[in-house]
Amino acid sequence: GAGVSQSPSNKVTEKGKDVELRCDPISGHTALYWYRQSLGQGLEFLIYFQGNSAPDKSGLPSDRFSAERTGGSVSTLTIQRTQQEDSAVYLCASSLVGAGSSYNEQFFGPGTRLTVL
Amino acid sequence: KQEVTQIPAALSVPEGENLVLNCSFTDSAIYNLQWFRQDPGKGLTSLLLIQSSQREQTSGRLNASLDKSSGRSTLYIAASQPGDSATYLCAASSNTGKLIFGQGTTLQVKP
């Protein structure tokens, strides 16, 4: 079956512009996660969705970052007024079950490479 | 705060060798530990998940073990092949489901 998909695969933007990154999880997966991977910081958790609600937003680095999930499926990560330090690969993952389960195996998408000039 | 460390950062071995990658974590209250493979410019591929109540998991030439009391996990790769060359990441899952990742071990298997 289809895996996690993300779009766009690459995004180049100018400092100060807003960007939207999209994630389509595996069908039927209730939990969705956003992470980002940068050279200096490795892989960092950003936000977790269970259904359409986000019980854990602790990894969002600033109020310029927001995310939503609709219909228990597609999620969008929005970065407002982008800065050069936002340049990274943004990865989305989904799992069949969410928090509290020892079997929430997460499956990752290919990522969106964001470059802020 | 959970911290995950992987040693070594890089490893180069000849084809056919058996090898062990190490992962340590500071908080033993994990829900599971997951091992991933990442090829250059690609996303993460899940290799093995060990639930907190388990001691090991096997898939083909891969075997992962978990010792919560000592805060350690190992990934054993048998009879390594050039196609195994990649970065291997371990990640500990908290009660919220979020994964805390190590920095990874970059493996090169030489023909």
Side-chain angles (χ1 to χ4, degrees):
Chain A
V4 178
S5 61
Q6 293 185 246
S7 61
S9 56
N10 282 284
K11 176 71 176 179
V12 180
T13 190
E14 294 179 348
K15 178 181 173 181
K17 299 285 189 183
D18 297 351
V19 295
E20 284 190 352
L21 312 180
R22 177 187 168 108
C23 172
D24 284 88
I26 294 172
S27 178
H29 279 197
T30 63
L32 185 147
Y33 305 81
W34 284 98
Y35 298 85
R36 75 174 176 181
Q37 186 172 31
S38 55
L39 281 176
Q41 301 297 323
L43 257 157
E44 304 173 285
F45 165 81
L46 297 177
I47 187 169
Y48 155 59
F49 285 94
Q50 183 62 43
N52 292 335
S53 64
D56 190 350
K57 307 179 184 179
S58 62
L60 294 178
S62 75
D63 58 8
R64 295 186 295 105
F65 287 71
S66 63
E68 66 173 11
R69 189 180 185 196
T70 56
S73 181
V74 172
S75 176
T76 302
L77 177 68
T78 301
I79 309 173
Q80 295 179 310
R81 304 181 303 282
T82 52
Q83 303 293 312
Q84 289 183 332
E85 61 263 29
D86 299 335
S87 296
V89 177
Y90 290 81
L91 293 163
C92 174
S94 69
S95 66
L96 187 61
V97 295
S101 169
S102 63
Y103 198 68
N104 63 331
E105 185 175 11
Q106 294 183 29
F107 297 90
F108 281 74
T112 292
R113 181 174 297 277
L114 175 65
T115 303
V116 181
L117 302 176
Chain B
K1 178 185 173 185
Q2 179 72 274
E3 293 182 0
V4 180
T5 304
Q6 291 186 247
I7 295 173
L11 183 62
S12 181
V13 301
E15 181 177 5
E17 193 162 297
N18 302 326
L19 57 101
V20 174
L21 306 181
N22 296 294
C23 172
S24 61
F25 47 94
T26 55
D27 185 353
S28 62
I30 62 171
Y31 270 59
N32 61 54
L33 190 131
Q34 215 170 332
W35 282 93
F36 296 89
R37 168 188 173 134
Q38 186 173 34
D39 293 283
K42 305 292 185 182
L44 278 64
T45 299
S46 178
L47 297 174
L48 289 165
L49 178 145
I50 312 176
Q51 297 179 61
S52 59
S53 59
Q54 297 175 324
R55 297 282 293 182
E56 66 177 332
Q57 280 287 337
T58 298
S59 176
R61 294 183 294 108
L62 305 180
N63 176 277
S65 68
L66 175 64
D67 184 342
K68 284 179 57 178
S69 62
S70 66
R72 294 181 181 178
S73 176
T74 61
L75 179 66
Y76 174 83
I77 303 177
S80 58
Q81 303 171 358
D84 295 332
S85 298
T87 296
Y88 291 80
L89 294 150
C90 71
S93 175
S94 71
N95 60 338
T96 65
K98 72 181 181 185
L99 294 175
I100 306 298
F101 284 85
Q103 293 294 320
T105 293
T106 299
L107 172 65
Q108 182 184 32
V109 180
K110 297 179 179 178

